């Protein structure tokens, strides 16, 4: 059962927001990056989630950055929480979502006693389609311009297929063509560009900057194309939606 609200303001340890919680905490669990700017962008996203949603929102990382989920869970327990919803900040059901995330949740639960409910990933559904559309609108990309949707990529073919499907659905909404390419698997950007015209808007399916976006930045500089920023703060409503859905499904109050 969820515990009482803390009697004091929760600290900002482990990337937490400074708002008073109104229910189970929210932990945004990201992959992690060696790029400090990427870590800070995730922290900023969770700060926005916390302030806009009125929830104690914290960050945790699977790898390459700190804190890990067990550290964040311990900070929540110290702040008076007994339950939290972990929202994996992932767009596809690949190895991290199916193996790393459940393992991290099990370890954090065993180490701290925090009741953890795992939400769905961000995914590539209708709300993520709205998210990438909002990114194009924010950058004022003309509707007739072609778009390259750039994702990390996976050894899991189904995960990559989900990104291609997202690109196809976005393609049906725009006069300009939309194609997907990946940073770590085929098809790579060079293989997809012949299908697109000039100019191309480069749209990362990333929440934060990182090393994998550097080749895309170099391409933008070389061609004079628009490189859209990572989705970042635009994803705050989606993260809050996953938190609310998990609370409703689990009965957490």
């Amino acid at each position: 059962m969820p515990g009482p609200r803390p009697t004091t303001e929760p600290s900002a340890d482990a990337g937490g927001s400074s708002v008073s919680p109104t229910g189970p905490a929210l932990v945004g669990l990201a992959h992690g990056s060696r790029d400090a700017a990427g870590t800070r962008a995730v922290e900023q996203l969770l700060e926005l989630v916390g302030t806009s949603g009125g929830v104690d929102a914290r960050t945790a990382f699977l790898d390459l950055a700190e804190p890990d989920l067990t550290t964040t869970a311990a900070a929540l327990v110290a702040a008076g929480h007994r339950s939290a919803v972990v929202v994996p900040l992932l767009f596809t059901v690949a190895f991290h979502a199916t193996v790393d995330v459940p393992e991290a949740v099990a370890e954090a639960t065993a180490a701290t006693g925090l009741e953890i409910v795992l939400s769905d990933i961000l995914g590539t559904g209708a709300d993520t389609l709205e998210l990438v559309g909002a990114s194009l609108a924010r950058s004022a990309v003309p509707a007739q311009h072609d778009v390259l949707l750039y994702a990390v990529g996976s050894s899991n073919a189904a995960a990559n297929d989900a990104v291609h499907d997202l690109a196809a659905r976005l393609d049906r909404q725009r006069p300009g063509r939309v194609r997907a390419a990946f940073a770590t698997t085929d098809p790579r950007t060079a293989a997809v560009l012949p299908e697109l015209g000039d100019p191309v808007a480069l749209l990362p399916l990333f929440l934060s900057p990182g090393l994998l976006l550097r080749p895309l930045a170099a391409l933008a500089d070389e061609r004079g194309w628009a490189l859209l920023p990572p989705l970042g703060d635009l994803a705050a409503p989606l993260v809050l939606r996953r938190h609310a859905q998990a609370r409703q499904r689990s009965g957490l109050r």
Side-chain angles (χ1 to χ4, degrees):
M1 293 180 62
R5 289 173 56 179
T7 56
T8 59
E9 289 291 314
S11 72
D13 294 344
S17 63
S18 59
V19 299
S20 296
T22 57
L26 185 159
V27 180
L29 181 58
H31 176 269
S33 172
R34 292 184 178 89
D35 188 336
T39 300
R40 183 56 189 152
V42 174
E43 292 170 346
Q44 289 173 337
L45 169 61
L46 269 296
E47 289 167 6
L48 178 59
V49 166
T51 55
S52 62
V55 61
D56 189 353
R58 313 259 178 147
T59 56
F61 299 94
L62 292 168
D63 196 13
L64 305 176
E66 296 179 347
D68 64 12
L69 183 58
T70 296
T71 300
T72 297
L76 287 170
V77 171
H81 287 281
R82 293 184 182 176
S83 62
V85 174
V86 169
V87 181
L89 303 179
L90 304 170
F91 288 105
T92 61
V93 180
F95 184 84
H96 296 305
T98 59
V99 177
D100 290 341
V101 169
E103 287 183 352
V105 168
E107 290 171 5
T109 300
T112 68
L114 185 69
E115 179 185 2
I116 296 177
V117 170
L118 186 59
S119 85
D120 293 334
I121 63 170
L122 301 183
T124 56
D127 41 17
T128 299
L129 178 61
E130 293 176 3
L131 177 61
V132 295
S135 179
L136 291 166
R138 178 174 64 176
S139 295
V141 175
Q144 67 272 20
H145 283 196
D146 289 354
V147 174
L148 180 75
L149 182 66
Y150 185 78
V152 174
S154 171
S155 58
N156 183 330
N160 299 329
D161 288 345
V163 176
H164 284 297
D165 179 68
L166 176 61
R169 285 181 283 131
L170 184 61
D171 179 85
R172 291 194 289 270
Q173 293 184 352
R174 298 174 54 81
R177 292 162 290 190
V178 182
R179 299 291 184 271
F182 300 97
T184 63
T185 191
D186 293 332
R188 308 290 180 131
T189 299
V192 173
L193 288 182
E195 301 179 33
L196 301 172
D198 188 352
V200 174
L202 305 173
L203 172 58
L205 190 64
F206 284 63
L207 288 178
S208 59
L211 302 180
L212 291 178
L213 288 178
R214 291 184 180 178
L216 210 62
L219 177 64
D221 288 342
E222 175 189 337
R223 302 286 182 94
W225 290 347
L227 172 59
L228 279 63
L231 298 169
D233 60 324
L234 286 175
L238 178 54
V239 175
L240 284 167
R241 189 175 304 131
R242 294 291 179 268
H243 177 259
Q245 290 167 341
R247 283 185 65 181
Q248 182 177 26
R249 184 171 63 242
S250 66
L252 282 182
R253 295 289 183 266

